[in-house]
């Protein structure tokens, strides 16, 4: 496998080994080198070589973070909070740590299934006609997640933070029974400082997340649940804040560069702390370019910024073709050791938008060849593993796409790692157009998180807002732009307008670059009226295609792939690109969309459930638009692809429209060796012939300067006889994270891809797990999870996660009735997993006790504490002995619990660790244990089966010197 190392130039030839025709690939000798391998199916496009390390490890190397993706328990549906009654319960429920219902620390989740993240529960929901079309006819609803967490006693005093990458959609998070965060966007991260509430050692912590995915922020499929990574950061008390490094290179007017590094430090210790902040810049080969150090003093519970600067006379530049990444390692040094550390990948590049000549990267004009993309994929919904994102982005790279607009919200940070590494320009988009403080915080978070990235080249504050042509809209954007610029003055602010740009006061007056969604007819008029305002398409095209279909059939919800079907508000792919390419003042295109997505199945509704807009389908299989744009967007490598396929039985003699998608100068077409005609290529419209159908071999030869440079063949195939499985990679990492899609197709007796096959296929895997399936058919209602999928127009996709640990091979098998089965084996490479938080078995703890005042005489176990008496007895926690109030050596400890279901059914035990003092343990009026010595001892008592609440009472006598009590945790064993 050829690795694509950060900083290495993308090898165009690796990227574009051509010869992939619709049905049969024919390598062209001389042009691009030939390959002896069997031609890949139409779905398996040549792409940049896969990553050689997990994308997760790219941007921020943070040795103090652990992955917290495993061991979550999940409940589908809401769990109403209990109706609280009575003074005692009301009083207690109002206190810190005393969340009720499913948020309670001790809630019984023993029958909730255990799941791993990323998790999108909506992806497993059936298609339902009564659900919202915009969300892909999937019910989203509510869900709960719970996880027990054990913390190392060595972490006492450390700064502990939970980091949720993204939760769809509204989330409430509890830690140890206290609400610690509300998050009102499915696209923002949530960072939760849990330090003050944390429990260590054998004591358990509880993380609970209630997710309201009923709430919508968009009109596309948004998924549901904890669909991005969760991390636990464990840092020194004196540490670098999350997203606390700003290191974005700047070029001085004399051409020299500096990397200004601003580091935000925190200190949760009780005293002011001094530290040294050190930043080291390394080049792509790991050689140190420069180091800077600065001392800092941070007051307790305060933050402080330290500023450094590293000069770099002549760095290697980052660009879309050569995405050279340097690294900045920031270390916090205290008392001769590294207290905290982060390594960021950065890139040196300049950006400039010119009102007349468009976008310039590193002072060279670059036409933006962008695609808009939502964040879901076939089979997995929005829970797209990092490796699958890497694959998707390499698909876009193979298309010649150089820019991405992640519509219409912040994308996962790991995706941006891959964009930095692969060389994409990213329009980073804010979701909610709202200037109130909560929402401005979302915008600030976005800028703070992404402002070091070479890929991010614009901030978009909104998409198509009705207020765009009003003074209110203008004022809002002015404020949002100011918020962005206070954090990042190097990238322009834009907004995607679909109207209002000619209103007397409008948003175009408040942005640096005006974004047009559609409005092709207004490009010239707007430019004439605003000759100094840079302009880009922020969204264009919106044309419908069904992959592999060549005739529109409204009744069956099929759209032809010839590029004849624009949306009313859009244009064909050909027209959209032409109007942008011909206007130097329009910085570029953002085609709606690169990939199909669940939801928004315009121009249809039920039974269609996913979109028709994609250049690729929901699986990333190319539609005709892929070959069209590829031939328009890539110049240096000759490309030629013939469409459609050549299997038209019953249409003999009838004309078939044949298109060549090519960037050569002229194309000669033959059918079964007989000339059909030669065309000079217009790259906007592309050569088209009407060819009377005869089965056989249709062949196109492309010429530049009169010399053959490319060739493409489509052939009539025989009936399918065998299945074929094609992985993207022959090796995978056995780290429990790595994922890849396999393409499944059917071949005829001569091994040729059969483009019309719609067979039902079943799959079985060893050494891995199938996490999703798809075939790109927007009308399909097959489940996207399981082990079956029909081919759709010849193709389907199976997404497989490799096992970690000792697994050394993954084998996928595909079976279809009447066909030879296919088997594909990939090697699993021993790879250490990312450092992760081990799964903690859920245990019912009994942490909260009431303790009576001391008495001289042994009290009765039946002693009553009135429900409204909150003051006579102490509130104590197991493991933290408090001396009883009053005089005397005896006191009572009492707790109430409802055993979890397995114990209710079968009975169990209560274990009291390190009980100090002598006395008795009573449950529900029965004495179950007697302790005769004063010294700490562990007591175990039986807990009989049965439902309902139990009352546990300890009568304890101290020796008069050491207070008696619960010196350790108390918990229920099954
Ligand atoms: C735009 C919108 C996109 C998508 C698209 C479909 O108006 O910004 O999110 O809905 O239309 O053509």
């Amino acid at each position: 496998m050829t690795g694509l190392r950060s900083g290495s130039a993308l090898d165009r030839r690796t990227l574009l080994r051509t010869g992939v025709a619709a049905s049969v690939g024919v390598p062209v000798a001389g042009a691009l080198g030939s390959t002896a391998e069997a031609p890949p199916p139409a779905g398996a496009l040549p792409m940049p070589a896969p990553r050689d390390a997990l994308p997760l490890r790219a941007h921020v190397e943070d040795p103090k973070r652990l992955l917290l993706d495993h061991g979550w328990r999940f409940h589908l549906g809401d769990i109403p909070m209990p109706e609280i009654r009575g003074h005692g319960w009301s009083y207690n429920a109002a206190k810190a740590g005393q969340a009720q219902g499913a948020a309670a620390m001790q809630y019984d989740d023993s029958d909730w299934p255990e799941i791993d993240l990323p998790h999108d529960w909506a992806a497993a929901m059936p298609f339902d006609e009564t659900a919202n079309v915009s969300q892909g006819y999937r019910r989203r609803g509510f869900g709960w997640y719970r996880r027990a967490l054990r913390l190392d006693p060595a972490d006492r005093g450390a700064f502990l933070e939970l980091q949720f990458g993204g939760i769809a959609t509204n989330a409430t998070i509890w830690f140890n029974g206290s609400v610690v965060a509300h998050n009102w966007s499915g696209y923002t991260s949530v960072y939760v400082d849990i330090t003050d509430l944390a429990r260590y050692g054998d004591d358990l912590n509880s993380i609970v997340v209630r997710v309201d995915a009923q709430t919508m922020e968009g009109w596309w499929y948004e998924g549901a649940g904890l669909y991005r990574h969760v991390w636990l950061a464990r840092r020194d008390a004196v540490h670098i804040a999350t997203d606390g490094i700003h290191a974005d290179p700047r070029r001085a007017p004399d051409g020299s560069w500096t990397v200004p590094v601003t580091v935000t430090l925190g200190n949760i210790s009780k005293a002011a702390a001094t530290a040294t902040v050190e930043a080291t810049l390394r080049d792509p080969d790991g050689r140190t370019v420069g180091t800077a150090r600065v001392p800092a003093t941070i007051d307790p519970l305060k933050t402080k910024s330290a500023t450094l600067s590293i000069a770099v006379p002549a760095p290697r530049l980052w660009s879309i073709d050569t995405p050279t990444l340097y690294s900045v390692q920031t270390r916090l040094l205290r008392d001769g050791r590294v207290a905290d550390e982060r390594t960021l990948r950065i890139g040196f590049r300049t950006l400039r938008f010119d009102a007349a000549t468009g976008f310039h990267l590193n002072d060279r004009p670059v036409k933006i060849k962008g695609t808009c993309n939502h964040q879901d994929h076939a089979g997995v919904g929005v829970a797209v593993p990092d490796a699958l994102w890497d694959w998707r982005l390499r698909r876009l790279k193979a298309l010649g796409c150089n820019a991405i607009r992640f519509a219409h919200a912040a994308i996962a940070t790991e995706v941006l790692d891959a964009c930095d590494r692969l060389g994409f320009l990213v329009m980073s988009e804010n979701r909610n157009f709202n200037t109130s403080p909560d929402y401005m915080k979302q915008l600030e978070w976005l800028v703070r998180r992404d402002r070091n990235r070479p890929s991010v080249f614009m901030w978009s504050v909104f998409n198509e807002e009705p207020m765009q042509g009003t003074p209110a809209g203008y004022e809002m954007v002015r404020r949002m732009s100011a918020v962005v610029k206070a954090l990042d003055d190097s990238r322009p602010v834009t907004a995607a307008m679909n109207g209002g740009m000619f209103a007397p006061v409008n948003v175009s007056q408040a942005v640096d670059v005006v974004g047009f969604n559609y409005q092709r007819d207004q490009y010239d008029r707007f430019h004439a009226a605003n000759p100094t305002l840079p302009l880009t398409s922020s969204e264009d095209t919106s044309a419908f295609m069904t992959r592999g279909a060549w005739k529109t059939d409204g009744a069956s919800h099929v759209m032809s792939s010839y590029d004849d079907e624009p949306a009313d508000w859009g244009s064909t792919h050909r027209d959209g690109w032409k109007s942008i390419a011909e206007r130097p003042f329009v910085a570029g295109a953002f085609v709606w969309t690169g990939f199909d997505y669940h939801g928004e199945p315009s121009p249809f509704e039920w039974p269609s459930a996913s979109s028709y807009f994609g250049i690729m389908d929901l699986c990333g299989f190319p539609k005709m638009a892929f070959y069209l744009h590829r031939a328009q967007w890539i110049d240096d490598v000759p490309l030629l692809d013939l469409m459609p396929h050549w299997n038209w039985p019953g249409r003999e003699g009838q004309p078939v429209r044949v298109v060549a998608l090519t960037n050569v100068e002229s194309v000669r077409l033959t059918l079964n060796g007989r000339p059909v005609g030669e065309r000079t290529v217009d790259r906007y419209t592309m050569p088209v012939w009407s060819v009377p159908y005869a089965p056989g071999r249709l062949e196109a030869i492309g010429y530049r300067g009169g010399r053959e440079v490319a060739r493409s063949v489509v052939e009539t195939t025989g009936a399918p006889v065998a299945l074929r499985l094609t992985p993207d990679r022959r090796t995978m990492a056995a780290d429990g994270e790595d994922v890849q899609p396999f393409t499944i197709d059917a071949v005829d007796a001569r091994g040729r891809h059969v483009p019309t096959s719609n067979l039902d296929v079943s799959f079985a895997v060893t050494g891995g797990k199938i996490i999703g399936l798809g075939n790109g058919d927007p009308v399909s209602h097959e489940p996207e999870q399981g082990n079956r999928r029909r081919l759709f127009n010849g193709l389907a996709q199976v997404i497989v996660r490799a096992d970690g640990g000792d697994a050394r091979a993954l084998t996928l098998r595909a079976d279809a009735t009447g066909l030879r089965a296919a088997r594909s084996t990939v090697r699993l490479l021993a790879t250490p997993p990312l450092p992760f938080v081990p799964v903690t078995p859920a245990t019912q703890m009994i942490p909260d006790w009431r303790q009576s005042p001391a008495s001289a005489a042994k009290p009765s176990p039946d002693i009553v504490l009135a429900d409204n008496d909150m003051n006579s007895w102490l509130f104590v926690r197991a493991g933290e002995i408090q001396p009883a109030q009053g005089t005397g050596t005896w006191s009572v400890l009492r707790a109430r619990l409802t055993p979890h279901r397995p114990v209710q059914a079968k009975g169990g035990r209560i274990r009291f660790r390190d009980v100090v003092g002598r006395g008795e343990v009573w449950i529900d009026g029965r004495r179950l244990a007697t302790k005769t010595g004063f010294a700490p001892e562990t007591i175990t008592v039986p807990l009989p089966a049965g439902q309902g609440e139990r009352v546990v009472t300890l009568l304890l006598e101290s020796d008069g010197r050491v207070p008696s009590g619960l010196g350790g945790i108390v918990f229920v064993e099954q």
Side-chain angles (χ1 to χ4, degrees), residues 219-220 374 405 407-408 463-464 498 517-518 539 542 544 567 569 592 597 600 602 613:
W219 50 93
W220 56 90
H374 282 314
R405 174 179 181 210
H408 298 293
N463 176 64
E464 299 181 353
N498 65 341
N517 280 14
Y518 311 98
E539 201 175 304
S542 275
F544 309 117
W569 56 94
W592 190 268
Y597 49 97
E600 209 177 30
S602 303
F613 294 114

Side-chain angles (χ1 to χ4, degrees), residues 253-269:
D254 69 359
S256 69
W257 288 80
T258 53
V259 183
V261 185
T262 304
V263 185
T264 305
L265 305 167
N267 174 10
I268 59 157
S269 74

Side-chain angles (χ1 to χ4, degrees), residues 433-435 461-462 465-481 495 497 500 505-511:
F433 188 48
N434 188 323
T435 49
V461 293
F462 75 58
E465 285 291 338
M467 281 197 267
Q468 59 207 354
T470 68
Y474 165 82
E475 284 300 334
M476 288 169 75
V477 171
R478 208 163 66 84
R479 282 161 178 73
M480 294 176 105
S481 176
M497 304 179 71
V505 181
N506 74 78
V507 160
S508 72
Q509 295 146 0
V511 293

